[in-house]
Structure formats: C-alpha cells, structure tokens
Amino acid sequence: VDYVSTGKNKFSGIVSPKYKNSSTSFAVDSNGIVSCTSQSDLRAWAYSECQYYINLPKGTYRATYETVTPATTTNAGMQIFAPSKTLASWWGDPMKVGRYSTTFTLDADTEVGVMGKFFTGTYKIQIEEGNTATEYELFKQSTKTLYLNSPLLEGDSIGVSGNNIVHVHRYES
C-alpha cells in the first residue's frame, strides 16, 4: 500500500489548479519563499478566490508567515478559509519585516483555502499541527510503501501504534 507522508509544514506553496485568476500569478522558490508577480489584485477575500488549497485532518493548526521583503501596498495580507467560514484573517503586518502567527481549529477533515495578496512582498508560510509556532521548515512530501503480510480487506484499516504503522484487521463476530 502506498501512502503520502509530509513533514511538519503542510503548506507547499504550489498554486492549486482550481485557481483561475490569470491576472495574478504566484511562485515559490527553492527556499520556500512565496512571491507574486502583480502590482494589483482585485480578488474578493473569499474561499473561492484562494490560490492554495490544502486537505487537513480534524485538529488544531498554527499558521505562520514571515515577511522576507515587505509589501508596498496597504491591501496586502493573508487569510485562511474553510468552505463556509474564515478561519484566520489579517494577522500581523505584511508591510513590516516580522514573523506573525495565529491558531485555527478544524472540527472535521477540511479542504482549507489559503489566500495571500502579496503584491511586491515575499513571504515564508508554514501551517503545522498544534498550537505552537516552530522554526520554519520547507515543505517536504514523499510517497512511502507499506508492505502487508496479508491482503487489505474491506473494513480493514491502516493506523499508527506508537512509532509503527499497523494493519488493523476487521473481525466479523
């Protein structure tokens, strides 16, 4: 069974194929620094206008952005959305160099939208599990293979027990 594993930073910086605004484009370099190539951004602050979408399991998360190069436009900012509500809005000052952080909680597995209006600024963005901000880490993702000693049957599950990944068999009574 193949599965995808990520490091602590859940934010890849890769623009979602769902993002349709061709007048504003975004890039992420090899150091994880996010930048924008537009001087104007007329998008409404809304889930449907986000350039990044991340599937996150139920839980508490800490979102942090660090200003590398300050924005020169006063409407610069970041927001995080669930499909039906704003989770985190306008924390920190993207026109000043600094590190800003906020916490949000998901009551269920959710596709979260991350929207940034960066203009001329550049930022490092990190979304991690828990409510404590840690040092920035590049997004890491790998596909791993779990070899099972018996077939995976309907109703079986794969879980974590301590530091091990385990195959939990369904038993009929």
Side-chain angles (χ1 to χ4, degrees):
V1 175
D2 288 341
Y3 65 97
V4 175
S5 174
T6 59
K8 74 175 180 180
N9 189 355
K10 307 304 178 197
F11 182 82
S12 70
I14 297 171
V15 176
S16 170
K18 292 166 61 170
Y19 178 66
K20 304 296 182 204
N21 186 335
S22 60
S23 66
T24 306
S25 61
F26 300 87
V28 63
D29 70 14
S30 61
N31 295 315
I33 297 174
V34 177
S35 60
C36 177
T37 59
S38 176
Q39 294 291 326
S40 67
D41 190 335
L42 302 176
R43 294 175 296 153
W45 288 98
Y47 179 80
S48 62
E49 297 287 329
C50 292
Q51 66 264 35
Y52 309 104
Y53 294 91
I54 307 166
N55 288 309
L56 295 174
K58 175 182 175 179
T60 299
Y61 294 87
R62 191 74 176 180
T64 303
Y65 76 87
E66 180 178 344
T67 306
V68 178
T69 306
T72 56
T73 306
T74 57
N75 194 30
M78 276 192 60
Q79 292 194 26
I80 299 176
F81 298 92
S84 60
K85 67 181 178 179
T86 302
L87 298 169
S89 174
W90 291 92
W91 70 96
D93 185 348
M95 295 184 68
K96 295 180 180 175
V97 172
R99 189 167 184 253
Y100 308 100
S101 188
T102 190
T103 301
F104 63 93
T105 300
L106 301 173
D107 297 329
D109 295 358
T110 306
E111 182 181 57
V112 172
V114 178
M115 182 176 183
K117 291 188 179 188
F118 303 125
F119 304 103
T120 55
T122 58
Y123 304 89
K124 290 182 180 177
I125 300 169
Q126 180 159 290
I127 297 176
E128 60 190 307
E129 293 180 60
N131 55 19
T132 302
T134 63
E135 280 302 309
Y136 176 79
E137 180 181 286
L138 279 170
F139 173 80
K140 296 175 190 165
Q141 178 175 299
S142 62
T143 300
K144 298 182 179 184
T145 301
L146 175 64
Y147 296 97
L148 304 175
N149 58 8
S150 61
L152 186 61
L153 303 174
E154 185 177 337
D156 286 1
S157 62
I158 307 254
V160 177
S161 176
N163 291 327
N164 298 315
I165 297 174
V166 295
H167 175 189
V168 180
H169 296 280
R170 144 190 79 80
Y171 293 100
E172 292 192 23
S173 49

